[in-house]
Amino acid sequence: MPPRILTFDEALLDARRKSNHRSILLGNGFSIGYDPAIFSYESLADEAELSGLSVTKPALFDALKSSNFEAVIDKLNASSRLLALYDGDRELAARMATDAVVVRNGLADVLANRHPVNAQGLSDEEVLHARTFLSNFRQFYTLSYDLLLYWVVTRTGVGPFVHMRDGFEWPAWNDRSALIWKSKPTQGRQRVFFLHGALHLFIRGKKLEKLSYRDHGSLVGELRSRLDDDNYPLVVTEGSRPEKEARIERSGYLRFGLRRFAATEGALFIHGVSMNPNDDHILELIESDSSRVSAIYVAVHGDPASPDNRRLIERAKEMRSHRRTVGGEALRVRFYDSDSARVWRD
């Protein structure tokens, strides 16, 4: 029997009664809600050129029966490793590994090409809706790479106050050469976390730099220019969990974000996250015995009885059961209708 699906307002009221701490974990559904023609995996797969593949793009995606870039990357890498393990064709194994890199880079390429050109591409009404939604939370964690969240939280003058500190600031008061990330910023506690990196974050030497309109003009234009030079942003597009974890471990910024997420307390809203196994490195932090998250409110899009939603609901319930099994604090699990949040428009 499907669980009761609350409205967003009902979920928010319930959370307020139980805790003063409210955070949100955003997934690709946040961006798809803005424009599915741009941000859904199907549309991205149709648009992606993936030049350099050893096979055709349609043949690859059709053979794997998926338009999910991460799933394709995962299967290519797994197949490459299996060929090597079983003393198969080493040249073929190398081709598969190379194709996985092409698909990974192709995701950043197509996101840049399909992305709204600048923050002004978002109407005041859309920003007002998004900021009203986000104003209910003190900390924002996102698994998406795109610029929508960044543009919304930095768009002042429209809608209510929204926390916008992301840990980036000038190296020193007399050095404004670049905005770099600091684990202990002088301007206050970091509130916005891109747990899998983002299109506007680039590694420069040993530091992480953020693109800004002040320094670079159009962010998408600057991003495209850098991609043309094979200079790719800090984004975790690896397919499998071990590969994601390895990429995160190599970045101080990503490690810090994951630690802060693990320390989240109170109510956690989960919006636009599919909660598939590739997200387990995130979800297991919530279900662990050390987690201080007391309740999760999971957004459900569409029919709760659909296969995807049944899997999502079951995974959320598993988190509650696992927390109980390992002896952690009781985890309350509630579900709400994602459309009722009116994130981008009525």
Side-chain angles (χ1 to χ4, degrees), residues 201-328:
L201 306 182
F202 283 82
I203 298 170
R204 189 177 69 169
K206 294 184 178 181
K207 299 187 181 298
L208 184 66
E209 175 187 7
K210 178 179 79 171
L211 300 185
S212 67
Y213 182 80
R214 176 189 179 278
D215 293 332
H216 304 96
S218 168
L219 299 193
V220 175
E222 175 67 16
L223 171 62
R224 289 171 178 166
S225 176
R226 293 189 180 208
L227 292 176
D228 287 341
D229 293 333
D230 291 328
N231 183 8
Y232 283 83
L234 174 65
V235 290
V236 181
T237 53
E238 284 74 9
S240 69
R241 173 179 176 170
E243 290 166 338
K244 287 180 186 294
E245 291 178 328
R247 183 67 189 91
I248 291 169
E249 186 60 29
R250 294 197 298 270
S251 167
Y253 170 83
L254 298 178
R255 290 198 309 272
F256 180 82
L258 214 55
R259 287 198 303 270
R260 283 287 299 274
F261 181 74
T264 300
E265 59 184 293
L268 176 69
F269 281 65
I270 301 176
H271 189 96
V273 180
S274 61
M275 298 178 71
N276 62 43
N278 281 348
D279 295 326
D280 279 348
H281 63 294
I282 301 292
L283 303 178
E284 288 177 6
L285 296 174
I286 306 169
E287 65 186 10
S288 76
D289 60 345
S290 60
S291 173
R292 293 186 293 172
V293 172
S294 57
I296 58 173
Y297 298 83
V298 182
V300 177
H301 178 67
D303 182 3
S306 72
D308 285 344
N309 281 332
R310 286 203 305 268
R311 179 178 49 75
L312 178 143
I313 290 168
E314 184 60 29
R315 181 66 182 96
K317 291 180 177 178
E318 286 174 1
M319 294 169 67
R320 177 177 58 198
S321 299
H322 183 83
R323 178 82 75 82
R324 184 187 306 119
T325 300
V326 298

Side-chain angles (χ1 to χ4, degrees), residues 42-340:
E42 289 78 9
S43 64
L44 292 174
D46 289 341
E47 180 77 13
E49 293 184 6
L50 304 185
S51 58
L53 278 179
S54 64
V55 297
T56 66
K57 181 186 72 174
L60 176 62
F61 283 78
D62 288 348
L64 297 178
K65 301 186 185 308
S66 176
S67 56
N68 185 318
F69 282 72
E70 293 183 357
V72 171
I73 294 166
D74 186 20
K75 290 175 181 178
L76 283 170
N77 281 326
S79 299
S80 175
R81 291 192 297 269
L82 284 172
L83 273 173
L85 175 65
Y86 285 93
D87 295 323
D89 188 329
R90 295 188 178 277
E91 182 179 345
L92 178 58
R95 280 175 55 200
M96 288 180 171
T98 299
D99 282 352
V101 174
V102 171
V103 176
R104 184 191 69 197
N105 292 342
L107 177 56
D109 288 332
V110 71
L111 276 171
N113 289 334
R114 296 293 297 274
H115 208 287
V117 175
N118 52 46
Q120 282 62 49
L122 279 62
S123 70
D124 284 350
E125 182 180 358
E126 290 167 337
V127 173
L128 173 61
H129 274 81
R131 286 181 66 89
T132 300
F133 171 69
L134 294 172
S135 68
N136 295 294
F137 307 101
R138 295 179 61 186
Q139 295 184 126
F140 315 112
Y141 302 93
T142 180
L143 303 177
S144 296
Y145 326 113
D146 61 68
L147 298 171
L148 295 186
L149 177 63
Y150 174 61
W151 280 344
V152 168
V153 300
T154 56
R155 182 89 160 263
T156 57
V158 179
F161 170 80
V162 173
H163 291 286
M164 60 183 290
R165 292 195 296 269
D166 58 6
F168 287 85
E169 58 186 30
W170 309 118
W173 69 270
N174 59 348
D175 179 359
R176 297 200 166 194
S177 57
L179 288 168
I180 62 170
W181 177 75
K182 298 179 181 179
S183 60
K184 297 180 179 179
T186 61
Q187 297 180 8
R189 186 176 177 87
Q190 184 175 339
R191 300 285 186 182
V192 182
F193 300 86
F194 293 88
L195 296 180
H196 285 168
L199 295 176
H200 64 305
L201 306 182
F202 283 82
I203 298 170
R204 189 177 69 169
K206 294 184 178 181
K207 299 187 181 298
L208 184 66
E209 175 187 7
K210 178 179 79 171
L211 300 185
S212 67
Y213 182 80
R214 176 189 179 278
D215 293 332
H216 304 96
S218 168
L219 299 193
V220 175
E222 175 67 16
L223 171 62
R224 289 171 178 166
S225 176
R226 293 189 180 208
L227 292 176
D228 287 341
D229 293 333
D230 291 328
N231 183 8
Y232 283 83
L234 174 65
V235 290
V236 181
T237 53
E238 284 74 9
S240 69
R241 173 179 176 170
E243 290 166 338
K244 287 180 186 294
E245 291 178 328
R247 183 67 189 91
I248 291 169
E249 186 60 29
R250 294 197 298 270
S251 167
Y253 170 83
L254 298 178
R255 290 198 309 272
F256 180 82
L258 214 55
R259 287 198 303 270
R260 283 287 299 274
F261 181 74
T264 300
E265 59 184 293
L268 176 69
F269 281 65
I270 301 176
H271 189 96
V273 180
S274 61
M275 298 178 71
N276 62 43
N278 281 348
D279 295 326
D280 279 348
H281 63 294
I282 301 292
L283 303 178
E284 288 177 6
L285 296 174
I286 306 169
E287 65 186 10
S288 76
D289 60 345
S290 60
S291 173
R292 293 186 293 172
V293 172
S294 57
I296 58 173
Y297 298 83
V298 182
V300 177
H301 178 67
D303 182 3
S306 72
D308 285 344
N309 281 332
R310 286 203 305 268
R311 179 178 49 75
L312 178 143
I313 290 168
E314 184 60 29
R315 181 66 182 96
K317 291 180 177 178
E318 286 174 1
M319 294 169 67
R320 177 177 58 198
S321 299
H322 183 83
R323 178 82 75 82
R324 184 187 306 119
T325 300
V326 298
E329 176 187 353
L331 179 66
R332 297 175 63 250
V333 178
R334 299 290 185 270
F335 302 92
Y336 69 93
D337 175 14
S338 64
D339 289 339
S340 70

